[in-house]
Amino acid sequence: MKAMEVHGVGVTFGGIIAVHDVSFAVEPGEIFAVIGPNGAGKTTLFNAVTGIHPPTHGHVELDGREQVAPMTRQTMVELLVAFLLVGVGVAATVNVERLWQASVIDNYIYEQPFPWGSALADLGRAVATLGWLGGALPLVCGGLVGAGAAWTNWSRARRSPDHIARTGVARTFQNIRLFNELSLVQNVLVGMDARMRAGFFSALLRLPRFRRERERFHAEAMKLLEFVGLADRALEAAGALPYGFRRRLEIARALAGTPKLILLDEPAAGMNPTEVGGLMALIRRVRDRGTTVILIEHHMKLVMGISDRIHVLQYGRTIAEGSPDAIRSNPRCIEAYLGVEENG
Amino acid sequence: MRWRPGPIVTILAIAAVVPLVDLVLPAELALSEAVRTVFLYAILALGLNVMTGYAGMLNLGIAAFMAIGAYAFGILSCEIYPFQLGFWPALALTIPIGALAGFILGAPTLGLRGDYLAIVTLGFGEIVQDILKNLDSITKGMQGINPLPAPSIGGAMWTSNDERSWYYLLLALLTLTVIAARNLERSRLGRAWFSIREDELASRSMGIRVERAKMIAFATGAAIAAFAGGLSASVLSSTGEPNNYDFQVSILALCIIIVGGIGGVAGVLVGSLVMVGLNSIVLAKATAWMAAHGIGSQGNVMLSPNNWKFLIFGLALVIAVRIKPTGILPPKLERGRV
């Protein structure tokens, strides 16, 4: 089974075709590079895969499964609940004074215990007399609005970046996007959020479950920071990190969700040769953990040095795919990207 | 490492000691109604801080949730209604009712950001007031709902004469709110809120369910604000008229968290002391002092500091933001765990 399959993916923004009919498959445990000149659509392709700009054509499969969340029984129940809640809410709001009068005011006699039974019965009778215009129409209209909104919400969320991240695809960004005011550990812990189970009340009441989970994930986050070589700075603010370290932190944050697939968008941008060497070693170690790596890069030494296969894009279209040696000797790639060597 | 009390503990401890020492403040001032307002606004601002400070959603209608809490408390506890719950159950019920109201407003507005959300919440604040005014068969319109019960423990009533009990009750409830806010802040949820505030797209790409986290922030903030509302209704023994929960209240709560330090609990506490203290203690005292010394007491409205309060508020806000844009006690990066 492939780790990821991209089937004829196209992304258009209005009339602009950013990516056109790109297909490729990535094997598990592979380091797969996507290269191409500036504006070739590499980052757009990443955004399509991670759900930031869902593809206008084609689709992406992970582990042989469609990325889009399926319609489950739970979804249908939720739609029904939204219909009923909003419908009843609207109908009750429209008739609030009448219902209040019939159930509460008519039954309440000062200084006598409130007759709940007959009040509820009166409420039921009042609801029954609402009729078509007062009761059913607001109920249906409100219900349709509620269910429609819930439907829209669901269909947007089914391919949203958070859903895709939770299916095991992590990414880094071309222009590093760390949470600058949070410490390094906390940045990594944000990446672990999808795996945490303790909810609102266990956090509010500091239940044992919350404490156990906190200890466990904190230890794991420290291990990840050690893995990328940042453990000694764990409690500093991410915004204060030097540039080269930020990339490493972003990789640690992406790894925190234990993804099957990690997308690195120009990880070597702005790094000096020593840092690039360290980054290459780090990417190899990430792969050795069992994570499939897909990267966009301009730094040829890095791409040629670590990639198993390379996919070349130009103007949003595929022009070649193959091993580093094959790409290096492919005349179209040389022309488009690597540049023709001048003799003499 | 040796434990040292942080700013929050220090502030609450000082607040606990103040009424015992007559030196700092004369007893009748320390325990007067003015000080209660400080506590109520501190709770309200803690609620706003969950939405605006933690999750970064600007809310200009927090007073609406306070109104919902106050009226819910009124309807549940006042003797002209059938429910007639006591102080404690009615106050406890304002929390889920406020959360529900936050959910109702939050659900359709999740997609809105920044200014747009601010406009919607502003509108919500006005709509709630209008509903309370016009639905007078239920809310008693402009009269407000009264009388409302004072708290009691084990049958012993707190009357409005017993200033000291009120003071400590409010302090205890404020402390509870502070603990709740801190616990949420230093949890998975708080971290998700901070990450959304900093970079929504990045946190979404890390698998944070942004809509859900925002929804919880909205409902939590609304629940705390409603709690403050219920409490204030009990303090006044009346919900007051709907206009008591107008835009000024929302803005004052916002000023509190901006001046104090947005996103931190300690900042909110200091901010409410400074802003509300200015409003209900300093200005009120100054007016009284001037009247006592025969300065501008009769007729001349320009000579009453109380009439200048919004000018002074604005000036204080401008000065605070110019001198210390992050607030008096800006939140510290959580260096420790989680």
Side-chain angles (χ1 to χ4, degrees):
Chain A
M1 198 163 31
K2 311 286 188 204
M4 182 172 88
E5 281 178 84
V6 174
H7 291 289
V9 161
V11 182
T12 54
F13 297 107
I16 297 167
I17 301 169
V19 174
H20 180 75
D21 195 21
V22 171
S23 300
F24 58 83
V26 184
E27 303 287 341
E30 198 178 22
I31 298 182
F32 188 90
V34 179
I35 64 170
N38 285 328
K42 304 180 297 290
T43 299
T44 310
L45 183 66
F46 266 29
N47 286 345
V49 170
T50 53
I52 293 174
H53 300 127
T56 22
H57 309 283
H59 66 277
V60 180
E61 282 176 19
L62 297 167
D63 282 341
R65 260 184 319 206
E66 192 64 54
Q67 264 184 320
V68 181
M71 180 81 157
T72 58
R73 185 175 297 167
Q74 198 197 344
T75 323
M76 299 215 263
V77 171
E78 277 168 16
L79 289 180
L80 192 66
V81 168
F83 180 91
L84 286 178
L85 278 185
V86 180
V88 170
V90 169
T93 310
V94 170
N95 301 295
V96 60
E97 280 191 297
R98 191 164 155 193
L99 298 177
W100 182 265
Q101 178 75 33
S103 61
V104 174
I105 301 194
D106 288 355
N107 277 297
Y108 179 54
I109 300 157
Y110 189 64
E111 282 191 345
Q112 275 181 26
F114 187 62
W116 285 99
S118 66
L120 286 177
D122 283 353
L123 182 65
R125 270 193 289 281
V127 169
T129 60
L130 288 180
W132 165 243
L133 202 61
L137 190 64
L139 180 83
V140 172
C141 291
L144 286 180
V145 170
W151 168 268
T152 318
N153 217 342
W154 173 76
S155 60
R156 270 194 210 144
R158 66 192 302 209
R159 62 169 1 138
S160 67
D162 45 311
H163 170 70
I164 290 172
R166 279 162 175 268
T167 61
V169 181
R171 72 170 294 174
T172 66
F173 294 89
Q174 189 176 356
N175 45 341
I176 305 173
R177 301 182 82 140
L178 290 169
F179 308 118
N180 288 329
E181 279 179 31
L182 301 185
S183 66
L184 269 61
V185 202
Q186 285 179 315
N187 268 276
V188 177
L189 284 166
V190 169
M192 289 179 178
D193 189 86
R195 294 162 53 206
M196 299 187 185
R197 290 291 166 267
F200 181 86
F201 289 101
S202 52
L204 186 68
L205 305 171
R206 286 278 186 266
L207 299 180
R209 183 186 170 168
F210 169 84
R211 291 166 191 276
R212 273 200 305 274
E213 193 178 86
R214 185 174 64 173
E215 298 304 322
R216 188 160 70 90
F217 280 103
H218 193 267
E220 198 182 321
M222 289 304 292
K223 257 191 216 143
L224 261 177
L225 284 176
E226 228 163 83
F227 178 74
V228 298
L230 291 172
D232 49 333
R233 291 170 167 251
L235 300 182
E236 288 176 29
L241 272 190
Y243 188 81
F245 288 150
R246 291 190 194 193
R247 294 277 179 204
R248 288 173 167 265
L249 178 58
E250 247 202 339
I251 292 174
R253 186 179 68 177
L255 286 175
T258 55
K260 294 174 215 135
L261 192 68
I262 182 169
L263 307 176
L264 306 176
D265 196 345
E266 296 200 23
M271 283 189 171
N272 65 36
T274 332
E275 288 172 331
V276 170
L279 182 70
M280 281 169 74
L282 177 62
I283 294 175
R284 280 208 191 91
R285 281 194 292 140
V286 168
R287 193 258 315 266
D288 294 342
R289 284 165 66 106
T291 311
T292 310
V293 179
I294 303 181
L295 65 126
I296 292 175
E297 194 46 80
H298 284 300
H299 198 286
M300 275 308 127
K301 202 180 123 223
L302 186 143
V303 171
M304 295 300 174
I306 62 172
S307 311
D308 296 313
R309 283 190 303 142
I310 300 175
H311 191 95
V312 191
L313 291 180
Q314 189 190 14
Y315 302 124
R317 287 159 205 266
T318 304
I319 59 171
E321 187 184 304
S323 68
D325 289 332
I327 297 298
R328 213 174 306 175
S329 55
N330 183 321
R332 281 188 72 191
C333 301
I334 295 173
E335 187 195 340
Y337 188 48
L338 301 177
V340 182
E341 225 171 284
E342 284 178 35
N343 294 322
Chain B
M1 203 163 64
R2 209 162 56 85
W3 181 81
R4 294 210 326 270
I8 302 173
V9 178
T10 316
I11 293 167
L12 292 176
I14 292 174
V17 175
V18 161
L20 303 177
V21 243
D22 275 356
L23 297 172
V24 190
L25 291 165
E28 77 274 12
L29 173 63
L31 304 173
S32 69
E33 222 174 307
V35 182
R36 292 183 202 163
T37 328
V38 176
F39 283 116
L40 293 173
Y41 269 99
I43 297 175
L44 178 68
L46 280 173
L48 181 63
N49 191 43
V50 173
M51 296 181 201
T52 305
Y54 295 163
M57 301 184 289
L58 182 55
N59 186 330
L60 295 178
I62 192 75
F65 296 115
M66 193 182 182
I68 288 169
Y71 275 84
F73 181 83
I75 289 175
L76 289 174
S77 66
C78 183
E79 61 193 20
I80 59 170
Y81 295 97
F83 310 103
Q84 298 183 2
L85 299 177
F87 172 83
W88 293 107
L91 188 65
L93 277 174
T94 59
I95 296 173
I97 289 170
L100 183 71
F103 184 82
I104 290 171
L105 176 63
T109 55
L110 279 179
L112 301 177
R113 271 175 219 175
D115 305 347
Y116 301 101
L117 183 66
I119 292 168
V120 171
T121 51
L122 177 64
F124 183 72
E126 299 302 310
I127 288 169
V128 166
Q129 279 180 61
D130 278 346
I131 290 176
L132 293 175
K133 270 179 224 165
N134 292 321
L135 203 61
D136 54 3
S137 64
I138 299 176
T139 64
K140 305 291 166 229
M142 298 298 282
Q143 303 166 32
I145 301 169
N146 57 58
L148 300 180
S152 64
I153 290 179
M157 285 297 278
W158 252 287
T159 59
S160 46
N161 304 328
D162 194 356
E163 296 283 1
R164 192 156 292 194
S165 331
W166 261 121
Y167 184 95
Y168 281 107
L169 177 73
L170 288 171
L171 180 63
L173 292 175
L174 173 65
T175 310
L176 272 183
T177 318
V178 166
I179 291 171
R182 282 291 283 175
N183 280 355
L184 289 176
E185 182 189 320
R186 297 158 55 135
S187 76
R188 168 189 171 201
L189 199 55
R191 204 165 44 233
W193 288 336
F194 288 136
S195 75
I196 291 168
R197 190 184 63 187
E198 293 222 5
D199 191 333
E200 191 172 319
L201 183 68
S203 56
R204 204 187 271 282
S205 297
M206 292 302 120
I208 302 275
R209 292 208 189 105
V210 173
E211 279 78 19
R212 196 181 150 134
K214 282 185 168 179
M215 195 64 170
I216 296 176
F218 226 99
T220 310
I224 297 177
F227 180 70
L231 204 51
S232 89
S234 173
V235 166
L236 299 172
S237 186
S238 161
T239 59
E241 55 178 307
N243 287 347
N244 286 3
Y245 308 95
D246 64 359
F247 187 54
Q248 306 287 1
V249 175
S250 302
I251 285 299
L252 183 53
L254 196 61
C255 287
I256 287 171
I257 65 175
I258 290 172
V259 169
I262 194 159
V265 169
V268 171
L269 297 181
V270 173
S272 48
L273 184 63
V274 171
M275 295 303 288
V276 186
L278 181 72
N279 182 19
S280 56
I281 302 176
V282 178
L283 288 183
K285 277 279 145 185
T287 309
W289 183 84
M290 282 171 72
H293 290 77
I295 312 170
S297 54
Q298 273 86 35
N300 192 346
V301 288
M302 299 302 278
L303 275 175
S304 158
N306 238 343
N307 295 338
W308 288 84
K309 70 178 172 188
F310 290 116
L311 189 75
I312 297 173
F313 268 1
L315 203 62
L317 191 62
V318 170
I319 292 171
V321 172
R322 285 289 299 177
I323 296 176
K324 233 169 164 243
T326 50
I328 301 172
L329 264 184
K332 268 193 288 192
L333 179 77
E334 283 305 335
R335 284 173 192 280
R337 26 226 310 113
V338 178

